[in-house]
Amino acid sequence: MKIFAIGMNYAEHTTEFNNIMLLEEKKERKTVEPVIFTKADSALLKSGKPFFIPDFMGRIDYETELVVRICRLGKNIPVRFAHRYYDAVTVGIDFTARDVQRQAKELGRPWTIAKGFDGSAAIGEWVDKEKFLDIQALHFHLDINGNTVQEGCSSDMLYTVDEIIAYISKFFTLKTGDLLYTGTPVGVGPVHINDHLEGWIEERKVLDFHCR
């Protein structure tokens, strides 16, 4: 199983981290391509299991995302056929060691440790994509301790799910069970011990766990 993730795929989140030039180029659909990174399979944290905060890594941020599940083998997939290659959607958390990531950026190093450490890919319960009229019109949000802290809509993605799948499949053979974290909207923030996280797609709660 491979875990793919997309960086800076929502306009407001991109400006949240002062990547204004990148945002404008993406809007104009110039030569800028999706920002792709991967997580180790040991990063996967299934819904209900606690997330143990690695406090030795400094600040750990939640990044709430829609996640899709690949359902068939594919390589060099055209955008128009990409919808055939995933069968379910859920909410996930791309936990990020923000201090580690910042230092890596300053030194021009990869984000691997900041993004791919154990437990950094929380995943909710799957919902068949056929339950929804349009994958690119899904509202989702994250509650922490009963308060909504982040919300987004897939219609705001700079690159659609189908575009991302087509792009990734140029370089990686997609296999059944691979996961795609599609990017986070504005509103990321730190988690703390005893926080209770609940993730929702529309009116469905699909993610529920605590931080320890």
Side-chain angles (χ1 to χ4, degrees), residues 96-114:
T96 302
R98 192 67 68 197
D99 295 335
V100 176
Q101 183 190 40
R102 186 177 297 111
Q103 184 180 43
K105 286 183 176 180
E106 291 172 353
L107 297 174
R109 295 176 178 174
W111 300 355
T112 307
I113 293 176

Side-chain angles (χ1 to χ4, degrees), residues 75-186:
K75 175 73 174 175
N76 293 319
I77 303 166
V79 173
R80 67 183 183 277
F81 296 136
H83 67 279
R84 301 178 181 176
Y85 288 81
Y86 57 98
D87 64 351
V89 62
T90 190
V91 167
I93 307 294
D94 167 22
F95 283 114
T96 302
R98 192 67 68 197
D99 295 335
V100 176
Q101 183 190 40
R102 186 177 297 111
Q103 184 180 43
K105 286 183 176 180
E106 291 172 353
L107 297 174
R109 295 176 178 174
W111 300 355
T112 307
I113 293 176
K115 287 286 193 177
F117 60 90
D118 287 356
S120 63
I123 193 78
E125 297 176 0
W126 294 106
V127 181
D128 191 314
K129 73 174 185 179
E130 301 303 326
K131 299 288 185 181
F132 305 105
L133 293 176
D134 186 357
I135 287 293
Q136 291 302 148
L138 292 181
H139 292 84
F140 60 100
H141 69 273
L142 175 70
D143 291 353
I144 296 183
N145 303 326
N147 299 310
T148 299
V149 296
Q150 191 176 20
E151 53 191 328
C153 182
S154 57
S155 63
D156 295 328
M157 290 180 181
L158 296 173
Y159 295 96
T160 67
V161 172
D162 291 357
E163 289 173 334
I164 294 167
I165 287 175
Y167 179 76
I168 290 176
S169 70
K170 293 179 181 179
F171 310 99
F172 302 93
T173 298
L174 297 178
K175 297 183 177 181
T176 300
D178 287 348
L179 306 180
L180 173 60
Y181 284 66
T182 59
T184 192
V186 69

